[in-house]
């Protein structure tokens, strides 16, 4: 059996690497239109792979050249494959109908058209990208009206639930694998083929099957429910700050109720990542097009609360620093949207940094997995400063935390990297301007220890 994956991104790369690892008899080819990305996947240096995920480079090096291949030859991989994963990006539309909400399906459509044009034999096409409900229907229409005679396509929905930073672990031991299909004999047969593939390492009872539309909607629903928990606890964090309650204690007390559960109740500066916001806005758009304005408004509020949380944190920094940060140096620790990834898409750090820059601060950014180029690209958006040289006057990207914090007025923690827990805070304090502030956007630091050293500490969801 041969598997092809179109899209060598955060999902296609790890997902199909794990398939290659678990199924040495299956040839897996991951293709992409981006030659730099494919070249990076073919690098022999772990740090040059396009994605940082704990444990991923070992699997890539184990399988690559054996039964795992990364290539730009999309057509060849399509021609040879029995199963084709479509794992391309589905960003929020920036223009046209549904601008700012709907998913842009142009990449899914172009990959689907390519499959239809190139394939000379029947294929199972797996919709891996996160898509609006009933996208598989559009894919089927494109495939059926553009394919050759005697070539049949069975489309399955197989949404991905991995989280970045734990992708390999999530793929090796998933809570569930979801496969949706039409309930036709051919659809069910294709569903069995894919279920058998996963059952090589996932217990059968965790490979669940259902209809196509339920499967597509379940992915959007799962992300909406997860993000809703974070916005709920972040909304409570604002009440905690105003009342003297402690959000960690409140979350702990609530999470012990087995109906609520303890996970995903960590208050923060705000959720980031490429999917939560995008997928909820997609759900909002879906509700609007279905003429369900109250439903749309309900989910929209999860995103609004997240924007509020990020803004509230930035405003608190300014307020605590005597209502002005003009010309002050602020060390920003963490740029990725969560620990153990170099991904910065929709990272809360970006919003906070932009607000601080607009208030006239000078930023020294440190993140163990994010490059200077990435930080500058994230900031060089319209409305902030588009000129990189000018940006360089107010933003420095440091490779050392102590250098970032030297002569700073404040340290702001935006990402929960483990290494921030064990810093030499006395050394940091000695080299900072006084009063020295620490703003913890991740409830990560030992506040008592910091206060003893002399820091003024402000934490999300707490008044100290
Ligand atoms: N990033 C994540 O943790 C998760 C993402 N998803 C979903 O998976 C999908 C992919 O996400 P990512 O991997 O993060 O995106 P990504 O942007 O990292 O990767 C997508 C890749 O597809 C390539 N591509 C686009 N059109 C193509 C075409 N016609 N032919 C060949 N290659 C093409 C792009 O060049 C890019 O390298 C999205 O729908 C996303 O919502 C789902 C679960 C987790
Ligand atoms: O569709 C997707 O892309 C994926 O989106 C999320 O995964 P991911 O965005 O990679 O990472 P999460 O661990 O969910 O974290 C998202 C954001 O929420 C924040 N978060 C998470 C948990 C929490 O309790 N509090 C909190 O602020 C994180 O710091 C991060 O900024 C989901 O967890 C995955 O199941 C899903 O497959």
């Amino acid at each position: 059996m041969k598997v092809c994956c179109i899209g060598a991104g955060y999902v296609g790369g790890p997902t199909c690497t794990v398939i290659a690892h678990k199924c040495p008899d299956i040839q897996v080819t991951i293709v992409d239109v981006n030659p730099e990305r494919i070249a990076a996947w073919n690098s022999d240096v772990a740090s040059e792979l396009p994605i940082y995920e704990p444990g991923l480079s070992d699997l890539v090096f184990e399988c690559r050249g054996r039964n795992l291949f990364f290539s730009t030859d999309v057509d060849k991989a399509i021609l040879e494959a029995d199963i084709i994963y479509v794992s391309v990006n589905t960003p929020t539309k920036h223009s046209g109908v549904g601008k700012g909400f709907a998913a842009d399906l142009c990449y899914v459509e172009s990959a689907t058209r390519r499959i239809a044009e190139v394939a000379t034999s029947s294929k199972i096409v797996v919709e891996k990208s996160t898509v609006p409900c009933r996208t598989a229907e559009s894919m089927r229409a494109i495939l059926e009206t553009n394919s050759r005679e005697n070539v049949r396509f069975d489309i399955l929905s197989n949404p991905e639930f991995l989280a970045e930073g734990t992708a390999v672990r999530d793929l090796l031991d998933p809570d569930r694998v979801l496969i949706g299909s039409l309930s036709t004999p051919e659809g069910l047969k294709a569903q069995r083929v894919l279920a058998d593939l996963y059952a090589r390492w996932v217990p059968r009872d965790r490979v669940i099957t259902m209809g196509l539309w339920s499967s597509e909607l379940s992915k959007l629903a799962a992300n909406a429910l997860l993000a809703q928990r974070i916005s709920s606890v972040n909304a409570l964090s604002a009440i905690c700050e105003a009342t003297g309650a402690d959000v960690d204690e409140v979350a702990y007390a609530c999470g012990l109720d087995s109906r609520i559960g303890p996970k995903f109740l960590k208050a923060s500066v705000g959720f980031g990542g490429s999917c939560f916001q995008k997928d909820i806005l997609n759900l909002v758009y879906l509700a609007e097009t279905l003429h369900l304005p109250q439903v749309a408004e309900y989910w929209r509020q999860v995103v609004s609360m997240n924007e509020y949380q990020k803004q509230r944190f930035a405003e608190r920094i300014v307020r605590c620093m005597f209502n002005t940060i003009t010309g002050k140096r602020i060390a920003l620790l963490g740029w990725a949207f969560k620990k153990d990834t170099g991904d910065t898409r929709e990272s809360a750090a970006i919003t906070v940094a932009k607000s601080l820059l607009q208030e006239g601060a000078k930023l020294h950014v440190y993140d163990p997995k994010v490059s200077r180029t990435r930080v500058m690209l994230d900031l060089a958006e319209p409305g902030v400063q588009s000129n990189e040289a000018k940006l360089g006057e107010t933003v420095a990207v440091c490779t050392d935390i102590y250098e970032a914090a030297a002569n700073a007025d404040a340290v702001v923690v935006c990402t929960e990297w483990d290494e921030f827990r064990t810093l030499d805070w006395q050394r940091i304090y000695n080299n900072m301007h006084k009063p020295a502030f620490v703003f913890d956007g991740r409830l990560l630091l030992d506040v008592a220890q910091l206060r003893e050293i002399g820091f003024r500490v402000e934490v999300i969801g707490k008044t100290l």
Side-chain angles (χ1 to χ4, degrees):
M1 190 194 284
K2 289 189 177 171
V3 167
C4 154
C5 174
I6 304 182
Y10 286 86
V11 167
T15 308
C16 287
T17 297
V18 166
I19 293 178
H21 166 67
K22 286 291 179 185
C23 313
D25 55 313
I26 294 180
Q27 181 179 312
V28 179
T29 306
I30 305 177
V31 292
D32 204 293
V33 287
N34 180 341
E36 283 101 45
R37 209 160 203 187
I38 290 299
W41 278 113
N42 281 321
S43 168
D44 289 325
V45 182
S47 62
E48 287 176 4
L49 295 183
I51 292 168
Y52 170 69
E53 277 294 339
L56 180 63
S57 59
D58 289 347
L59 296 187
V60 170
F61 295 149
E62 171 205 311
C63 305
R64 208 180 53 201
R66 181 189 74 189
N67 66 325
L68 175 65
F69 302 91
F70 294 91
S71 167
T72 50
D73 196 342
V74 180
D75 291 1
K76 180 165 177 279
I78 291 174
L79 266 173
E80 292 178 349
D82 305 291
I83 299 178
I84 304 175
Y85 282 89
V86 176
S87 186
V88 299
N89 37 330
T90 50
T92 306
K93 277 181 86 171
H94 287 304
S95 58
V97 178
K99 171 184 168 184
F101 287 90
D104 188 343
L105 294 173
C106 69
Y107 305 104
V108 172
E109 174 155 348
S110 70
T112 309
R113 284 188 183 278
R114 200 74 219 141
I115 296 170
E117 278 162 30
V118 171
T120 52
S121 60
S122 299
K123 317 275 178 199
I124 294 175
V125 177
V126 183
E127 180 192 71
K128 180 56 96 178
S129 299
T130 303
V131 289
C133 203
R134 298 197 82 92
T135 300
E137 196 165 64
S138 315
M139 289 173 77
R140 186 150 55 98
I142 292 168
L143 289 169
E144 283 176 0
T145 51
N146 289 284
S147 57
R148 296 160 206 238
E149 254 180 69
N150 300 323
V151 173
R152 86 161 269 116
F153 296 103
D154 288 296
I155 302 172
L156 299 174
S157 157
N158 174 220
E160 185 50 60
F161 296 103
L162 69 80
E164 289 178 31
T166 52
V168 172
R169 201 173 74 205
D170 294 343
L171 289 163
L172 291 175
D173 186 23
D175 285 351
R176 79 302 207 185
V177 169
L178 174 54
I179 306 174
S181 77
L182 289 177
S183 55
T184 57
E186 296 85 357
L188 295 173
K189 190 174 158 211
Q191 196 177 56
R192 274 195 299 279
V193 172
L194 199 62
D196 286 346
L197 181 105
Y198 288 113
R200 289 174 176 225
W201 76 94
V202 179
R204 275 278 173 193
D205 59 355
R206 284 198 236 154
V207 181
I208 57 170
T209 55
M210 57 180 67
L212 272 174
W213 323 130
S214 300
S215 173
E216 288 178 335
L217 187 58
S218 296
K219 174 62 196 175
L220 295 183
N223 272 359
L225 289 167
L226 288 169
Q228 181 196 44
R229 279 175 75 90
I230 306 169
S231 276
S232 297
V233 82
N234 282 344
L236 290 167
S237 77
I239 298 181
C240 289
E241 287 167 36
T243 57
D246 178 320
V247 75
D248 267 341
E249 292 179 348
V250 173
Y252 175 64
C254 295
L256 284 176
D257 184 326
S258 59
R259 294 169 302 174
I260 298 172
K263 294 183 182 166
F264 256 72
L265 281 182
K266 189 75 184 166
S268 67
V269 52
F271 62 73
S274 62
C275 293
F276 277 172
Q277 176 172 311
K278 155 177 95 70
D279 294 348
I280 295 171
L281 294 176
N282 194 341
L283 195 63
V284 168
Y285 184 70
L286 183 69
E288 271 169 2
T289 54
L290 296 170
H291 308 294
L292 302 167
Q294 291 84 351
V295 178
E297 195 43 43
Y298 177 77
W299 289 111
R300 195 198 310 264
Q301 192 56 26
V302 173
V303 174
S304 306
M305 182 53 64
N306 196 47
E307 288 307 310
Y308 170 70
Q309 185 75 349
K310 292 185 276 184
Q311 218 46 59
R312 219 168 59 75
F313 186 60
E315 284 168 16
R316 188 171 172 191
I317 294 171
V318 178
R319 199 173 59 248
C320 292
M321 295 178 75
F322 316 113
N323 287 310
T324 175
I325 54 170
T326 306
K328 291 182 182 169
R329 180 182 289 189
I330 297 182
L332 216 148
L333 303 191
W335 194 258
F337 80 96
K338 62 185 282 197
K339 73 170 181 177
D340 291 341
T341 177
D343 194 353
T344 69
R345 291 177 289 180
E346 304 296 338
S347 178
I350 301 172
T351 315
V352 171
K354 285 180 180 175
S355 295
L356 300 180
L357 285 174
Q358 267 157 1
E359 291 289 335
K362 289 185 185 304
L363 298 184
H364 278 200
V365 177
Y366 169 82
D367 189 289
K369 290 291 174 202
V370 181
S371 67
R372 177 180 188 277
T373 313
R374 184 68 257 165
V375 173
M376 292 309 196
L377 277 173
D378 289 339
L379 288 173
E381 281 170 15
V384 192
Q385 289 156 318
S386 52
N387 179 313
E388 189 173 334
K390 186 125 184 55
L391 202 55
E393 290 170 16
T394 47
V395 181
V397 179
C398 306
T399 51
D400 178 83
I401 297 182
Y402 300 98
E403 181 200 323
N407 298 317
D409 297 275
V411 173
V412 176
V413 175
C414 283
T415 311
E416 75 283 20
W417 284 103
D418 287 334
E419 65 185 84
F420 298 161
R421 294 177 193 273
T422 52
L423 297 176
D424 181 348
W425 285 101
Q426 186 65 58
R427 179 176 163 201
I428 290 174
Y429 182 80
N430 294 346
N431 292 323
M432 284 177 67
H433 291 158
K434 308 297 179 316
F437 289 90
V438 172
F439 297 91
D440 184 357
R442 291 292 184 166
L443 299 102
L444 177 90
L445 305 176
D446 181 341
V447 176
Q449 183 213 351
L450 292 183
R451 297 187 91 189
E452 201 163 308
I453 292 171
F455 282 107
R456 294 195 183 186
V457 188
E458 298 287 331
V459 181
I460 291 272
K462 297 180 194 237
T463 40
L464 302 162

